[in-house]
Each structure stands twice: as structure tokens, then as C-alpha cells.
């Protein structure tokens, strides 16, 4: 039996005996305890890996030291190196298995805690709903609606005009009449337009009249020079 097998056998027997004495009444370890044991096993195997890797390097150095000078000692060192490498490979596989088991157990424990908390929440919600009555809630909502309508009516009454109230359409019609009367008064103050048509002056007549006035001015000027 190899040292690893003996180690596992001894640890399993001691763990089983302690587990029976410690957890016999509960029917097995808790998930937290199992995860803790798996982590301890991982730490132990990791330390064993480091030890074997160190021994492998030592055996390689021994084989190089003897070489062909002491062939028998060199071969023995290489054989020991091979055995350490085989043990190292077995530990690698064991660590992978333990790691997988630990992760599965952690996930199961997490799911169990989640479901447990969800169950607590469901019970709390049920307890809250037991204290509520749907009919009472409907009556309460009706009361709230009535109070809101009453508050709206009060607001409209407060914001409404106080005192005399007049029809706005009648006031606009009266204002239009006043504007029309003022327009008629303004039109009466303007001068009346003559009914007869003014005689029109042709362009030729306007030119001849202007020329005649100019000739008369020239004649008066000549007369003043002669005197």
C-alpha cells in the first residue's frame, strides 16, 4: 500500500470515527464542515506536491553527480525520480477531483441558502397579506377618490370670482357699438368733398400760361431799363 493510500486511509478512518462521535446525532457533517475538510485536504496535497517536486530536483542532481562513474547510484536516483513523478501525477488528479467536489458542494450550499432565504421571504409576504383585506382596500380606495373629488370642488370654489358677474359676450357687443359711434363722429368732422368736378387743365394750356407770365416779366424789365 502506498504512502498516499495509507494517508487517505488513516485520515478517513480517523475522520469517520470523529465524525460519528461528533455528528452521529445529526446524520452527517454540515456543508460548511465538509467544505472546510476539503480545503484542508487541498492544502495538505499542495504541500505534498511541493515536497515531491523538491525530491525530484534532488534525485536529478544525484544522478548528474554520479553519472557514469557510479552508474548504479545514478540509476537508483532516476528510479526514485520516476516514482516521485508518478506520485505527483496522482496528486494532480486527486486535487482536480477534490476541487470539483468542493465547488459542487459550495454551489449546492449557495443554492440551499438562496432557496431558504426565498422561503423566508415568501412566509413574510404571506404574513403581510394575511393582515390585509381586499374589501377593506377597495373601500379605502373609494374613500380616497371621494376625498380627492371633494378637495377639487373646494379648490374650484375658492379660485372662482367673487361678487357681480357679467356676460362677456354682452360686454363685447356693447364695446363694438361704442367704437362704431366714435367712428361715425370722426367722419362727420371731415370737410365735405365738392360734388362738381373740377375742370381739367391740358398740358398744353399749362405750358402756354407759364410762358405768357414769363413774357410779361421780361417786358416789365425792359421798360424799367428804358426809363
Amino acid at each position: 500500500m502506498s504512502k498516499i493510500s495509507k494517508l487517505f486511509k488513516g485520515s478517513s478512518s480517523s475522520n469517520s470515527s470523529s465524525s460519528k462521535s461528533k455528528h452521529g446525532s445529526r446524520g452527517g457533517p454540515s456543508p460548511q464542515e465538509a467544505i472546510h475538510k476539503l480545503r484542508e485536504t487541498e492544502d495538505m496535497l499542495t504541500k505534498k506536491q511541493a515536497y515531491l517536486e523538491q525530491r525530484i530536483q534532488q534525485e536529478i542532481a544525484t544522478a548528474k553527480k554520479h553519472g557514469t562513474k557510479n552508474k548504479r547510484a545514478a540509476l537508483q536516483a532516476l528510479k526514485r525520480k520516476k516514482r516521485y513523478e508518478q506520485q505527483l501525477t496522482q496528486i494532480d488528479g486527486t486535487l482536480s477531483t477534490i476541487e470539483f467536489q468542493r465547488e459542487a458542494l459550495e454551489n449546492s450550499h449557495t443554492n440551499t441558502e438562496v432557496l431558504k432565504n426565498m422561503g423566508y421571504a415568501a412566509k413574510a409576504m404571506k404574513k403581510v397579506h394575511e393582515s390585509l383585506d381586499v374589501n377593506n382596500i377597495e373601500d379605502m380606495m373609494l374613500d380616497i377618490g371621494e376625498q380627492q373629488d371633494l378637495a377639487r370642488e373646494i379648490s374650484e370654489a375658492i379660485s372662482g370670482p367673487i361678487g357681480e358677474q357679467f356676460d362677456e359676450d354682452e360686454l363685447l357687443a356693447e364695446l363694438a357699438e361704442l367704437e362704431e359711434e366714435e367712428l361715425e363722429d370722426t367722419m362727420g368732422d371731415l370737410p365735405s368733398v365738392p360734388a362738381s368736378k373740377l375742370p381739367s387743365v391740358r398740358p398744353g394750356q399749362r405750358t402756354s400760361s407759364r410762358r405768357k407770365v414769363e413774357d410779361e416779366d421780361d417786358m416789365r424789365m425792359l421798360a424799367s431799363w428804358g426809363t
Side-chain angles (χ1 to χ4, degrees):
M1 183 180 293
S2 63
K3 294 181 179 180
I4 299 298
S5 300
K6 291 180 180 179
L7 179 62
F8 278 116
K9 184 177 181 181
S11 60
S12 62
S13 60
S14 60
N15 288 337
S16 62
S17 60
S18 61
S19 176
K20 287 180 181 179
S21 60
K22 189 175 180 180
H23 309 290
S25 59
R26 291 183 293 173
S30 64
Q32 296 90 337
E33 293 170 344
I35 292 171
H36 179 68
K37 290 295 182 182
L38 289 175
R39 288 189 182 277
E40 287 182 347
T41 305
E42 285 181 290
D43 293 339
M44 181 267 296
L45 291 176
T46 302
K47 293 177 181 179
K48 184 66 175 179
Q49 278 184 324
Y51 170 75
L52 290 174
E53 290 174 353
Q54 183 180 1
R55 291 300 303 271
I56 289 172
Q57 295 301 323
Q58 291 177 356
E59 298 301 335
I60 292 174
T62 301
K64 289 180 178 180
K65 178 182 178 181
H66 293 289
T68 55
K69 297 178 182 179
N70 191 349
K71 190 174 182 181
R72 181 173 175 277
L75 292 176
Q76 290 295 329
L78 292 177
K79 288 180 181 179
R80 288 192 295 270
K81 180 183 78 70
K82 291 292 184 181
R83 289 198 301 269
Y84 294 148
E85 288 176 347
Q86 290 177 356
Q87 293 179 22
L88 192 61
T89 302
Q90 291 175 355
I91 290 176
D92 288 338
T94 304
L95 278 174
S96 298
T97 303
I98 291 176
E99 183 179 358
F100 175 80
Q101 186 180 14
R102 178 179 53 80
E103 290 177 353
L105 186 57
E106 288 175 346
N107 292 333
S108 299
H109 177 61
T110 302
N111 294 333
T112 302
E113 291 298 322
V114 170
L115 292 175
K116 187 187 298 183
N117 293 333
M118 290 176 66
Y120 289 154
K123 291 179 181 179
M125 188 179 297
K126 183 179 180 180
K127 186 176 181 180
V128 171
H129 289 165
E130 286 177 353
S131 61
L132 298 177
D133 188 357
V134 178
N135 296 326
N136 293 335
I137 294 174
E138 292 178 353
D139 294 338
M140 181 179 64
M141 296 305 296
L142 290 174
D143 292 339
I144 293 174
E146 292 177 358
Q147 295 302 320
Q148 289 179 348
D149 294 337
L150 179 60
R152 190 180 303 108
E153 293 177 1
I154 294 174
S155 298
E156 292 176 355
I158 293 175
S159 61
I162 299 175
E164 296 180 349
Q165 297 183 11
F166 302 97
D167 189 358
E168 187 176 356
D169 293 336
E170 293 180 359
L171 295 176
L172 291 175
E174 185 177 354
L175 178 62
E177 292 178 0
L178 293 174
E179 291 178 349
E180 186 176 356
E181 291 177 359
E182 184 179 0
L183 181 61
E184 290 177 356
D185 295 339
T186 303
M187 295 297 294
D189 296 337
L190 294 176
S192 59
V193 179
S196 60
K197 186 177 181 182
L198 295 175
S200 60
V201 179
R202 292 192 298 274
Q205 292 179 347
R206 288 196 298 270
T207 305
S208 61
S209 298
R210 186 170 57 254
R211 188 173 300 170
K212 183 178 179 180
V213 172
E214 291 177 354
D215 292 341
E216 290 177 353
D217 292 338
D218 292 339
M219 292 300 293
R220 283 195 296 272
M221 184 179 296
L222 289 173
S224 64
W225 287 349
T227 61

